[in-house]
């Protein structure tokens, strides 16, 4: 297949079909990077067994080498490509309890297989593995004779991509990929749920498969399952996990992440409850003008008054819709030249836990700046 002669990053986006999937598999086996659709967010994929290829992921994202990657496999029969096989009795029992959630947005952290190089796991004895449910990802994985390491295809700490063009835009990693396969908008819109298996199973990152479901499956008290390992709970309370325990269990869960460049204020923060409508938010620190509002339900005229841009993620507060639309909306708002973005919040329960986890991290930089200003 010939690329367009116009040198545009968008020329890298190819429709998903047998030919492009074969091309992508070929590029991957030659040690190149490919933008891969998944049901959660777009991934930046490389052959997980190829050290030099995986190193390109870290360079493309400016990702710290201490932050390990998730390995994707085509099916349960290929788990042995990534994890220690056969698994010990404890891990086997826990895998049995969750295995029917695959293919799907679940990653499990368990002892790593011998072929997974240190660069993938940041030298850890464990590896995160998942079987994605996106048909294009599954076809690509089936076409490859190796597993795929794939973080979200954004520059480190920016907003995860849910459309192929997000991989290529100025905030993306388009210069580093040989192609992006277009699999349409990501269905879930938040990254996979990550759990740690073993003697003390833990929720490391909330996602579409909820903590409640997983704790029940694993027969663990939900409070135990959610304690430690994450950088603070979704209500913003960082007290539970000491930095060392936290970085030991969940190295990638930075307090500041998914952050737009424009200041982001959540509606349940002190500043958000009384939006500064006077002056239309001018000079609030984003360098732009006016306020944007990301709403979780359709706003009345009165509620929408004073905002230069309003985006409604769901007419009636449906959490699936909110999660699916959140990252694309944050990106659009970030490009709208606003002084500040106000975003609604939801109770941190079920999928709401994942939504609030991402929003807390996205707003963390703004919060620490405003705390710095007031002290
Ligand atoms: O939905 C997803 O999981 C997407 C798509 C592309 O599959 N991938 C994704 O990858 O979100 P990434 O790299 O953005 O997030 C991976 C997370 C990081 O927080 C990392 O620290 C954690 O997984 N992780 C990976 N291996 C780990 C390990 N051995 N122990 C603990 N955490 C691990
Ligand atoms: Mg990521």
């Amino acid at each position: 297949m010939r690329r367009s002669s116009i040198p545009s990053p968008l020329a890298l986006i190819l429709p998903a079909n047998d030919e492009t999937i074969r091309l992508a598999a070929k590029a991957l086996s030659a040690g190149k990077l490919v933008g891969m659709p998944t049901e959660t967010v777009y991934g930046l994929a490389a052959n997980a067994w190829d050290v030099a290829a995986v190193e390109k992921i870290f360079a493309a994202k400016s990702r710290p080498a201490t932050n390990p990657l998730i390995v994707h496999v085509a099916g349960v029969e290929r788990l042995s490509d990534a994890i220690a096989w056969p698994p010990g009795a404890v891990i086997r029992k826990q895998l049995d309890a969750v295995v029917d959630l695959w293919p799907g947005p679940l990653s499990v952290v368990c002892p790593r297989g011998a072929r997974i190089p240190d660069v993938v796991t940041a030298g850890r004895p464990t590896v995160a593995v998942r079987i994605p449910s996106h048909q294009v990802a599954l076809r690509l994985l089936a076409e490859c004779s190796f597993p795929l390491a794939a973080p979200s295809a954004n520059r480190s700490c920016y907003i995860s991509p849910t459309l192929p063009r997000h991989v290529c835009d100025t905030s993306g990693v388009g210069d580093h990929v040989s192609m992006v396969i277009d699999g349409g908008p990501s269905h879930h819109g938040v990254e996979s749920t990550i759990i740690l298996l073993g003697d003390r199973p833990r929720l490391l990152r909330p996602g579409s498969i909820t903590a409640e479901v997983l704790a029940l499956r694993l027969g663990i008290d939900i409070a135990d399952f959610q304690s430690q390992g994450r950088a603070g709970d979704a209500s913003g309370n960082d007290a539970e996990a000491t930095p060392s325990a936290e970085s030991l269990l969940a190295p990638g869960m930075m307090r500041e992440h998914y952050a737009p460049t424009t200041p982001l204020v959540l509606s349940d923060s002190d500043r958000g409850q009384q939006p500064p409508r006077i002056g239309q938010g001018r000079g609030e620190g984003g360098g732009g003008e006016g306020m944007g509002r990301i709403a979780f339900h359709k706003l009345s005229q009165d509620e929408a008054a004073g905002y230069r841009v309003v985006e409604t993620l769901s007419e009636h507060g449906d959490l699936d819709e909110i999660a699916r639309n959140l990252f694309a909306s944050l990106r659009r708002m970030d490009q709208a030249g606003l002084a500040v973005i106000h975003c609604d919040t939801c109770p941190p329960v079920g999928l709401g836990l994942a939504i609030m986890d991402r929003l807390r991290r996205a707003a963390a930089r703004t919060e620490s700046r405003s705390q710095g200003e007031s002290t």
Side-chain angles (χ1 to χ4, degrees), residues 91-248:
I91 301 285
R92 175 173 288 276
K93 193 163 168 242
Q94 291 167 346
L95 280 173
D96 280 347
V98 299
V99 76
D100 66 304
L101 298 169
W102 280 329
L106 174 70
S107 299
V108 305
V109 174
C110 56
R112 81 193 229 201
R115 286 193 78 170
I116 296 295
D118 272 347
V119 62
V120 169
T121 69
R124 287 163 176 264
T126 55
V127 65
V129 66
R130 88 178 188 97
I131 305 169
S133 63
H134 196 295
Q135 287 308 306
V136 175
L138 284 175
R139 280 161 66 194
L140 180 58
L141 284 161
E143 192 73 29
C144 295
S145 56
F146 41 81
L148 294 176
S152 51
N154 51 282
R155 273 195 287 119
S156 202
C157 291
Y158 196 63
I159 304 158
S160 295
T162 52
L163 285 171
R165 67 180 143 80
H166 294 160
V167 181
C168 295
D169 73 15
T170 48
S171 63
V173 293
D175 292 347
H176 301 262
V177 295
S178 64
M179 68 190 77
V180 181
I181 305 289
D182 187 348
S186 297
H187 178 74
H188 292 290
V190 288
E191 303 83 352
S192 61
T193 308
I194 306 179
I195 57 173
L196 173 70
L197 299 184
D199 293 337
R200 243 189 121 184
R202 284 286 171 279
L203 177 72
L204 300 185
R205 179 173 74 184
S208 297
I209 297 182
T210 63
E212 291 83 349
V213 163
L214 290 163
L216 199 68
R217 296 280 190 118
L218 295 166
I220 302 168
D221 180 74
I222 183 82
D224 281 349
F225 188 54
Q226 292 191 70
S227 71
Q228 293 192 344
R230 289 189 297 113
D233 63 23
S235 59
N237 179 1
D238 276 0
E240 274 258 56
T242 64
S244 55
E246 182 184 291
S247 58
L248 212 65

Side-chain angles (χ1 to χ4, degrees), residues 46-71:
N47 175 353
W49 289 340
D50 179 341
V51 173
V54 174
E55 279 170 349
K56 289 180 191 166
I57 293 181
F58 285 88
K61 285 180 61 92
S62 302
R63 181 179 176 112
T66 48
N67 190 2
L69 305 175
I70 295 177
V71 174

Side-chain angles (χ1 to χ4, degrees), residues 11-36:
L12 299 168
I13 299 173
L14 302 178
N17 57 43
D18 288 348
E19 189 193 354
T20 55
I21 288 171
R22 258 197 312 275
L23 267 183
K26 222 169 141 187
L28 287 162
S29 63
K32 295 185 179 155
L33 305 185
V34 165
M36 169 177 76

